[in-house]
mmCIF file of all heavy atoms in Angstrom:
data_model
loop_
_atom_site.group_PDB
_atom_site.id
_atom_site.type_symbol
_atom_site.label_atom_id
_atom_site.label_comp_id
_atom_site.label_asym_id
_atom_site.label_seq_id
_atom_site.Cartn_x
_atom_site.Cartn_y
_atom_site.Cartn_z
ATOM 1 N N ASN A 1036 -63.695 -35.767 -16.380
ATOM 2 C CA ASN A 1036 -64.839 -35.608 -15.476
ATOM 3 C C ASN A 1036 -65.158 -36.874 -14.697
ATOM 4 O O ASN A 1036 -65.959 -36.842 -13.760
ATOM 5 C CB ASN A 1036 -66.067 -35.133 -16.258
ATOM 6 C CG ASN A 1036 -66.013 -33.640 -16.544
ATOM 7 O OD1 ASN A 1036 -65.254 -32.906 -15.902
ATOM 8 N ND2 ASN A 1036 -66.807 -33.175 -17.490
ATOM 9 N N VAL A 1060 -65.188 -33.664 -9.436
ATOM 10 C CA VAL A 1060 -63.819 -34.173 -9.297
ATOM 11 C C VAL A 1060 -62.828 -33.078 -8.917
ATOM 12 O O VAL A 1060 -61.715 -33.378 -8.486
ATOM 13 C CB VAL A 1060 -63.347 -34.873 -10.601
ATOM 14 C CG1 VAL A 1060 -64.177 -36.112 -10.863
ATOM 15 C CG2 VAL A 1060 -63.389 -33.933 -11.780
ATOM 16 N N ILE A 1080 -55.927 -34.100 -49.710
ATOM 17 C CA ILE A 1080 -56.459 -34.910 -50.805
ATOM 18 C C ILE A 1080 -55.425 -35.922 -51.287
ATOM 19 O O ILE A 1080 -54.227 -35.761 -51.086
ATOM 20 C CB ILE A 1080 -56.907 -34.048 -52.007
ATOM 21 C CG1 ILE A 1080 -55.717 -33.228 -52.539
ATOM 22 C CG2 ILE A 1080 -58.074 -33.149 -51.628
ATOM 23 C CD1 ILE A 1080 -55.964 -32.561 -53.877
ATOM 24 N N LYS A 1102 -73.240 -33.543 -51.731
ATOM 25 C CA LYS A 1102 -73.930 -32.814 -52.796
ATOM 26 C C LYS A 1102 -73.043 -32.679 -54.039
ATOM 27 O O LYS A 1102 -73.541 -32.430 -55.125
ATOM 28 C CB LYS A 1102 -74.358 -31.430 -52.305
ATOM 29 C CG LYS A 1102 -75.345 -31.456 -51.144
ATOM 30 C CD LYS A 1102 -76.643 -32.144 -51.505
ATOM 31 C CE LYS A 1102 -77.641 -32.082 -50.353
ATOM 32 N NZ LYS A 1102 -78.909 -32.783 -50.676
ATOM 33 N N LYS A 1113 -64.208 -24.635 -61.680
ATOM 34 C CA LYS A 1113 -64.220 -23.175 -61.731
ATOM 35 C C LYS A 1113 -63.181 -22.585 -60.781
ATOM 36 O O LYS A 1113 -62.582 -21.533 -61.067
ATOM 37 C CB LYS A 1113 -65.609 -22.662 -61.379
ATOM 38 C CG LYS A 1113 -65.757 -21.152 -61.498
ATOM 39 C CD LYS A 1113 -67.190 -20.720 -61.184
ATOM 40 C CE LYS A 1113 -67.335 -19.202 -61.299
ATOM 41 N NZ LYS A 1113 -68.730 -18.771 -61.004
ATOM 42 N N PRO A 1116 -58.776 -23.288 -62.458
ATOM 43 C CA PRO A 1116 -58.463 -23.180 -63.887
ATOM 44 C C PRO A 1116 -57.047 -23.686 -64.165
ATOM 45 O O PRO A 1116 -56.114 -23.388 -63.424
ATOM 46 C CB PRO A 1116 -58.581 -21.676 -64.152
ATOM 47 C CG PRO A 1116 -58.374 -21.025 -62.825
ATOM 48 C CD PRO A 1116 -58.984 -21.966 -61.832
ATOM 49 N N LYS A 1124 -64.650 -40.482 -58.595
ATOM 50 C CA LYS A 1124 -65.567 -40.325 -57.464
ATOM 51 C C LYS A 1124 -64.829 -39.773 -56.249
ATOM 52 O O LYS A 1124 -63.707 -40.169 -55.937
ATOM 53 C CB LYS A 1124 -66.201 -41.666 -57.102
ATOM 54 C CG LYS A 1124 -67.203 -41.584 -55.950
ATOM 55 C CD LYS A 1124 -67.796 -42.948 -55.639
ATOM 56 C CE LYS A 1124 -68.774 -42.853 -54.465
ATOM 57 N NZ LYS A 1124 -69.341 -44.193 -54.118
ATOM 58 N N ASP A 1133 -65.981 -38.890 -31.268
ATOM 59 C CA ASP A 1133 -66.296 -37.515 -30.888
ATOM 60 C C ASP A 1133 -65.016 -36.694 -30.925
ATOM 61 O O ASP A 1133 -64.040 -37.013 -30.240
ATOM 62 C CB ASP A 1133 -66.912 -37.466 -29.487
ATOM 63 C CG ASP A 1133 -68.373 -37.880 -29.488
ATOM 64 O OD1 ASP A 1133 -68.905 -38.166 -30.576
ATOM 65 O OD2 ASP A 1133 -68.972 -37.924 -28.405
ATOM 66 N N ALA A 1208 -55.841 -13.826 -52.911
ATOM 67 C CA ALA A 1208 -55.288 -15.093 -53.387
ATOM 68 C C ALA A 1208 -55.702 -16.207 -52.439
ATOM 69 O O ALA A 1208 -55.938 -15.969 -51.249
ATOM 70 C CB ALA A 1208 -53.761 -15.000 -53.458
ATOM 71 N N ALA A 1246 -54.639 -14.984 -44.085
ATOM 72 C CA ALA A 1246 -55.154 -15.618 -42.868
ATOM 73 C C ALA A 1246 -55.908 -16.894 -43.236
ATOM 74 O O ALA A 1246 -56.898 -16.847 -43.965
ATOM 75 C CB ALA A 1246 -56.066 -14.666 -42.107
#
Side-chain angles (χ1 to χ4, degrees):
N1036 281 342
V1060 295
I1080 59 168
K1102 298 299 183 182
K1113 184 178 180 180
K1124 181 180 179 182
D1133 282 358

